[in-house]
Amino acid sequence: MKSPAPTTNRRNGSFGHRSTPEHLGYSPTSGHNSSKVSRRNPMAATVMSVIGIFTACFTPPDTNNSKSFVDSEEFKSSSVASEASRSGSHKARGSSRGVSITLHNSIQGEPAIVKFTMEEIFQVTRNFSPSFKIGQGGFGAVYKAKLLNGTVVAVKRAKKSVNEKHLGVEFQSEVQTLSRVEHLNLVKFYGYLEQEDERIIVVEYVPNGTLREHLDCNHGSILDLASRLDIAIDVAHAITYLHMYIDRPLIHRDIKSSNILITEKLRAKVTDFGFSRQAPDIDSGMTHVSTQVKGTAGYLDPEYLRTYQLTEKSDVYSFGVLLVELVTGRRPIEPKFELKERITAKWAMQRFIEGEAISVLDPKLDQTAANSLALEKILELALQCLAPQRQNRPNMKRCAEILWTIRKHYRELSASEFRSFSTSSQRSASTKE
Ligand SMILES: Nc1ncnc2c1ncn2[C@@H]1O[C@H](COP(=O)(O)OP(=O)(O)OP(=O)(O)O)[C@@H](O)[C@H]1O
């Protein structure tokens, strides 16, 4: 089958396949330490090929904004089948949401989807009052609103584009996906509206900004490593759920820090399903889906980029980039840094294999023993996720399991560091007395 051509079909900020791939001239065997690497790390072969793959990275864009278990109790409690997705076709006037809604089956056999009316949307957003506006993304403007029953929601209003067709496709994809999923770590779907040139999605309001904003300290405090680990685990749970635990599994295709919303308790919810695609049906012998490249520069799986073959492992690759972002605090592409540090994952992996992992730790984080150990372990996992060939990457469930172990050891070491710190403080206090 002929692979579809890559397109520039991308909403603002993120991109499809627009940038020209550029050979950055990096030689994996250059540098002084490749043999030390092999001794130090049994995954040396993977390491070298991972590093090599970054040579086929993109020209950094101008902008600094580098734009995209079920066995455990934790997972079980967070995975709930949606009421809407279980219900059939019916009307619910004056429902618990407090506004009149219509549930209907748009496609035979598809889950019921809640439709809003334009009056309802105008009412709750006060005619899209600028004072209700909370964000602006590639999709359009985002408004905070309160439904009549008090539920606080985010109303995402698609911008009107000359390229109506592809926006319509992305909108439908997002609606279909959102209506099929429900998980604690995915943004909850309340409904949508599509009328003439208006396209609106109503989702759960997540009050604490995006992960990227937290890494930039835009919310006034530094996100500690314990919270970053929790967030990584939440995202791993969400993607595992999409890949493994729904009918007709899904590939998100745009995992990135600005698509991870943060709750008041600093937990994560994955959002933005405009690019999501159905995963290949393994039972019918499919190994991949052939499709045009979509996603965000810096997060894109190089194998997908080269072959247009999409699998769940493309999300795993993006997750690897996200792990590096979490521990370094840097964006995946940092155009302002010197060349060897410009592609953050490549730089961090290189430092890791040189035995200098600590040098990539976000300078906002303390260099404690617990932080250093967790950093090493997270980078080791990132290295596996970033393997150039998809079959060498772990699946998302395995990533979550590895992260649980990292978190367990992190907590134990932090607690013992805290105990020895308290004991030595007490000792010095009593010496002074
Ligand atoms: N459910 C939500 N709850 C609270 N704020 C939200 C929600 N969804 C989006 N926002 C805010 O609106 C901004 C824009 O979101 P949107 O998803 O449209 O774009 P984006 O992901 O930043 O960009 P792109 O679509 O190009 O990837 C976000 O950065 C966030 O601050």
Side-chain angles (χ1 to χ4, degrees), residues 11-12 67 134 137-138 142 154 156 204 206 256 259 261 272:
R11 306 175 338 205
N12 277 356
K67 320 210 189 164
I134 52 169
V142 185
K156 299 179 75 173
E204 165 187 13
V206 187
K256 59 175 175 176
N259 279 342
L261 298 172
D272 213 341

Side-chain angles (χ1 to χ4, degrees), residues 27 31-32 36 67 70 114 154 162 176 182-183 198 204 216 241 324 341 352 386 398-399 401 416:
S27 159
H32 51 283
K36 180 177 167 197
K67 320 210 189 164
V70 255
V114 181
V162 275
Q176 291 300 327
E182 186 161 352
H183 187 277
E198 275 299 350
E204 165 187 13
D216 289 337
Y241 166 81
V324 174
E341 297 191 16
F352 171 60
L386 297 170
R398 183 75 196 120
C399 292
E401 288 165 353
S416 79

Side-chain angles (χ1 to χ4, degrees), residues 148-178:
L148 299 183
N149 69 349
T151 307
V152 182
V153 294
V155 175
K156 299 179 75 173
R157 184 189 200 188
K159 63 180 170 220
K160 286 149 197 164
S161 158
V162 275
N163 196 347
E164 273 294 313
K165 196 165 164 251
H166 89 77
L167 271 187
V169 171
E170 284 173 23
F171 179 82
Q172 275 305 326
S173 166
E174 185 143 19
V175 167
Q176 291 300 327
T177 299
L178 281 164

Side-chain angles (χ1 to χ4, degrees), residues 114-220:
V114 181
K115 264 189 165 183
F116 284 86
T117 66
M118 208 57 221
E119 294 75 57
E120 289 160 356
I121 298 292
F122 275 134
Q123 189 182 356
V124 298
T125 61
R126 306 285 184 276
N127 299 337
F128 297 108
S129 159
S131 61
F132 282 43
K133 191 170 166 184
I134 52 169
Q136 177 74 47
F139 178 84
V142 185
Y143 298 82
K144 181 180 175 183
K146 200 188 240 183
L147 301 181
L148 299 183
N149 69 349
T151 307
V152 182
V153 294
V155 175
K156 299 179 75 173
R157 184 189 200 188
K159 63 180 170 220
K160 286 149 197 164
S161 158
V162 275
N163 196 347
E164 273 294 313
K165 196 165 164 251
H166 89 77
L167 271 187
V169 171
E170 284 173 23
F171 179 82
Q172 275 305 326
S173 166
E174 185 143 19
V175 167
Q176 291 300 327
T177 299
L178 281 164
S179 67
R180 286 175 51 202
V181 299
E182 186 161 352
H183 187 277
L184 186 71
N185 302 117
L186 293 176
V187 83
K188 193 173 159 61
F189 181 53
Y190 288 110
Y192 81 109
L193 176 149
E194 189 169 26
Q195 192 179 305
E196 291 161 15
D197 61 349
E198 275 299 350
R199 294 191 181 96
I200 286 163
I201 289 176
V202 180
V203 292
E204 165 187 13
Y205 172 74
V206 187
N208 207 1
T210 68
L211 173 59
R212 190 57 252 172
E213 290 163 5
H214 280 272
L215 293 174
D216 289 337
C217 284
N218 291 354
H219 291 265

Side-chain angles (χ1 to χ4, degrees), residues 56-339:
C57 271
F58 292 95
T59 305
D62 295 340
T63 166
N64 206 19
N65 182 7
S66 59
K67 320 210 189 164
S68 206
F69 330 60
V70 255
D71 312 325
S72 81
E73 285 311 308
E74 187 173 0
F75 185 82
K76 277 182 200 150
S77 64
S78 59
S79 173
V80 194
S82 132
E83 270 309 312
S85 67
R86 283 193 296 264
S87 54
S89 190
H90 66 279
K91 283 198 166 185
R93 286 246 148 224
S95 73
S96 61
R97 296 182 310 110
V99 292
S100 61
I101 56 167
T102 306
L103 295 176
H104 74 122
N105 278 359
S106 51
I107 304 170
Q108 196 67 29
E110 285 295 309
I113 297 172
V114 181
K115 264 189 165 183
F116 284 86
T117 66
M118 208 57 221
E119 294 75 57
E120 289 160 356
I121 298 292
F122 275 134
Q123 189 182 356
V124 298
T125 61
R126 306 285 184 276
N127 299 337
F128 297 108
S129 159
S131 61
F132 282 43
K133 191 170 166 184
I134 52 169
Q136 177 74 47
F139 178 84
V142 185
Y143 298 82
K144 181 180 175 183
K146 200 188 240 183
L147 301 181
L148 299 183
N149 69 349
T151 307
V152 182
V153 294
V155 175
K156 299 179 75 173
R157 184 189 200 188
K159 63 180 170 220
K160 286 149 197 164
S161 158
V162 275
N163 196 347
E164 273 294 313
K165 196 165 164 251
H166 89 77
L167 271 187
V169 171
E170 284 173 23
F171 179 82
Q172 275 305 326
S173 166
E174 185 143 19
V175 167
Q176 291 300 327
T177 299
L178 281 164
S179 67
R180 286 175 51 202
V181 299
E182 186 161 352
H183 187 277
L184 186 71
N185 302 117
L186 293 176
V187 83
K188 193 173 159 61
F189 181 53
Y190 288 110
Y192 81 109
L193 176 149
E194 189 169 26
Q195 192 179 305
E196 291 161 15
D197 61 349
E198 275 299 350
R199 294 191 181 96
I200 286 163
I201 289 176
V202 180
V203 292
E204 165 187 13
Y205 172 74
V206 187
N208 207 1
T210 68
L211 173 59
R212 190 57 252 172
E213 290 163 5
H214 280 272
L215 293 174
D216 289 337
C217 284
N218 291 354
H219 291 265
S221 59
I222 293 165
L223 199 59
D224 63 20
L225 198 59
S227 302
R228 296 185 198 202
L229 257 174
D230 286 341
I231 288 166
I233 289 172
D234 288 344
V235 176
H237 285 171
I239 311 174
T240 303
Y241 166 81
L242 294 175
H243 288 183
M244 296 180 74
Y245 299 116
I246 52 170
D247 276 348
R248 291 172 291 131
L250 290 162
I251 303 168
H252 184 283
R253 272 212 294 183
D254 205 11
I255 296 296
K256 59 175 175 176
S257 57
S258 62
N259 279 342
I260 294 160
L261 298 172
I262 304 296
T263 69
E264 268 159 348
K265 292 185 171 165
L266 299 179
R267 301 308 293 251
K269 288 184 189 269
V270 175
T271 185
D272 213 341
F273 294 89
F275 287 167
S276 64
R277 269 298 294 258
Q278 208 163 305
D281 182 2
I282 306 291
D283 293 341
S284 0
M286 283 171 78
T287 56
H288 61 265
V289 194
S290 286
T291 180
Q292 62 190 4
V293 173
K294 288 200 183 178
T296 298
Y299 294 91
L300 272 166
D301 167 12
E303 195 173 27
Y304 169 40
L305 205 51
R306 196 166 34 84
T307 62
Y308 311 120
Q309 294 180 355
L310 178 71
T311 73
E312 289 92 333
K313 296 291 182 75
S314 294
D315 281 347
V316 174
Y317 183 92
S318 307
F319 184 71
V321 177
L322 187 82
L323 287 176
V324 174
E325 195 175 352
L326 272 167
V327 291
T328 62
R330 293 190 184 187
R331 289 174 161 73
I333 302 172
E334 291 281 8
K336 294 199 176 112
F337 284 98
E338 60 174 312
L339 193 61

Side-chain angles (χ1 to χ4, degrees), residues 8-27:
T8 56
N9 175 8
R10 186 55 181 115
R11 306 175 338 205
N12 277 356
S14 305
F15 89 124
H17 192 183
R18 185 180 301 142
S19 300
T20 314
E22 182 190 60
H23 197 290
L24 293 174
Y26 176 81
S27 159

